Amino acid sequence: MRRILLAALPLVLAACSIDQNRLGHFVTQTVQPGMPMEQALVRMQAEGFYCNAGSGAEAVISCTRTYERLLQKNCVERVDLVRSATSAKTVGAIDVLEVKCPK
């Protein structure tokens, strides 16, 4: 039994680590520059993100999602959707920000 627990420990610890590249890849598969902002917001919300669209006039829309960890406090994944300079109804860029975790 002890061997099984020791063998499973690396798997449990890996599940608690933050993989910034994985988040970036996930986001770029979910939304892309050039897509309608409304569609991007719907897709991000369907993936568990809360997007603060405000009045709709902001150039940057912040989206956050809680990343739950087993052994430590939860982290917050953050993504900014930037409106296109030529069309406010279109995604111009996507900024995947550093995941924030309490220490």
Side-chain angles (χ1 to χ4, degrees), residues 43-99:
R43 294 199 61 194
M44 291 295 284
Q45 290 168 354
E47 295 297 337
F49 282 86
Y50 166 77
C51 297
N52 185 8
S55 66
E58 292 80 15
V60 177
I61 297 175
S62 299
C63 299
T64 58
R65 176 173 75 175
T66 301
Y67 178 84
E68 296 182 11
R69 301 189 300 174
L70 297 175
L71 302 176
Q72 299 169 343
K73 293 182 180 179
N74 296 341
C75 297
V76 176
E77 297 173 322
R78 304 174 304 139
V79 177
D80 284 347
L81 301 178
V82 182
R83 293 185 189 276
S84 170
T86 58
S87 174
K89 294 184 178 185
T90 304
V91 176
I94 302 157
D95 293 328
V96 179
L97 305 172
E98 182 181 351
V99 176

Side-chain angles (χ1 to χ4, degrees), residues 25-39:
H25 180 72
F26 167 78
V27 170
T28 57
Q29 295 300 311
T30 304
V31 294
Q32 296 86 31
M35 75 186 311
M37 183 62 77
E38 186 175 323
Q39 181 184 3

